[in-house]
Amino acid sequence: MLKQGRWAIAAVSMLLGIMLVGQYKMTQSIAESNIHLQRTGDLARELTAAEKERDELRQQLEKIQKGDASASVVSDINLLKQRAGLTDVTGPGVIITINDSKIPVKDNENPNLYLIHDEDLLRVLNELRAGGAEAIAVNDQRLTGTSEVRCAGPTVMVNGKVFGPPFVIKAIGDPKTLSAALTMRGGVVESLKYWGIELKIQEVNQMIVPAFNGTFKEEHLQAVKQGGDKK
């Protein structure tokens, strides 16, 4: 009887063990299924959000192409055009007039020392930029990131157009700061006046600097694609 009781207990214990293992596996399977469903749901929500954002951007692009952009988009475009020098701008600043020297050339002196050259204009322009000029034009030629100021024989070329003296430079910014940048001791004005170069600075409360009216050449540059190779 004792032996039979032991076998019965062993059999019951084995049966309980099998039942517990089965229940554990079932629980794990249900949990894994729930996790899978949860992840699938998260991915579905993320996909829906991405598709919504894509559709909104596509609609915005279509509005821009049709000229029906929102006020904020139009404002952003106008700001970018303004910063690129593609619009007329107004504000306070300085008007600088530069002319060749009228001092008679002395014997054995180089007459070119008494004439305005491209390097002289570039020195003036660099001082204006250092003084915080926000828009600059030379003889109403708006300067942009691709503008050139270089010698062309006895004249100076700006944006592909040839000019002779006098040169009129308009720069928008704080008039006092711009004027101080040019007239500081040992600066460009003092250097030019040594050779009799005429340079007049007029501080104004309001003036107009015209837009760039040339053309841009883009033969080599390309926009970098998002996620593309940046080498």
Side-chain angles (χ1 to χ4, degrees):
M1 289 292 292
L2 182 61
K3 188 175 182 180
Q4 289 180 351
R6 289 177 178 176
W7 277 109
I9 292 172
V12 171
S13 298
M14 184 179 296
L15 181 60
L16 287 173
I18 294 173
M19 292 175 64
L20 286 173
V21 171
Q23 186 176 3
Y24 173 77
K25 289 184 177 180
M26 184 179 296
T27 303
Q28 286 291 101
S29 177
I30 294 173
E32 290 176 358
S33 177
N34 289 338
I35 292 173
H36 179 71
L37 290 174
Q38 183 179 357
R39 289 177 178 174
T40 302
D42 292 340
L43 290 174
R45 284 191 292 272
E46 291 177 5
L47 178 61
T48 301
E51 290 176 342
K52 182 180 179 181
E53 184 178 3
R54 178 204 62 192
D55 293 339
E56 290 175 351
L57 291 172
R58 183 178 293 170
Q59 292 174 3
Q60 192 175 32
L61 178 60
E62 291 175 353
K63 287 182 180 180
I64 293 174
Q65 292 173 339
K66 294 178 182 179
D68 187 28
S70 65
S72 61
V73 173
V74 172
S75 177
D76 290 342
I77 293 174
N78 289 337
L79 180 60
L80 290 174
K81 290 175 65 177
Q82 177 179 306
R83 291 178 175 175
L86 302 179
T87 60
D88 294 348
V89 290
T90 183
V94 293
I95 299 175
I96 305 155
T97 304
I98 310 176
N99 209 342
D100 290 337
S101 172
K102 292 182 173 58
I103 296 177
V105 180
K106 298 178 182 179
D107 294 338
N108 300 322
E109 275 193 335
N110 185 351
N112 287 321
L113 297 173
Y114 297 85
L115 303 177
I116 290 293
H117 299 281
D118 55 338
E119 60 186 33
D120 300 319
L121 291 178
L122 287 171
R123 287 182 62 193
V124 173
L125 295 174
N126 285 337
E127 291 299 337
L128 289 171
R129 291 190 177 102
E134 299 170 6
I136 304 176
V138 179
N139 286 14
D140 284 337
Q141 290 297 310
R142 179 72 170 273
L143 299 186
T144 67
T146 59
S147 294
E148 84 285 359
V149 178
R150 60 188 180 89
C151 181
T155 58
V156 174
M157 182 177 291
V158 183
N159 287 343
K161 297 184 179 180
V162 177
F163 299 98
F167 298 98
V168 179
I169 301 175
K170 297 178 180 178
I172 290 179
D174 180 76
K176 299 296 182 185
T177 304
L178 295 177
S179 180
L182 296 174
T183 58
M184 62 181 177
R185 187 173 181 179
V188 60
V189 171
E190 187 174 308
S191 175
L192 292 176
K193 284 188 174 181
Y194 177 83
W195 301 103
I197 301 295
E198 297 179 358
L199 193 151
K200 299 178 181 178
I201 303 174
Q202 179 186 0
E203 298 180 7
V204 295
N205 295 324
Q206 200 75 15
M207 65 176 171
I208 294 176
V209 173
F212 175 75
N213 58 7
T215 57
F216 291 99
K217 294 181 180 180
E218 299 177 352
E219 298 178 1
H220 304 287
L221 70 84
Q222 295 180 356
V224 177
K225 296 180 179 179
Q226 292 295 330
D229 189 359
K230 296 184 179 180
K231 292 182 179 180

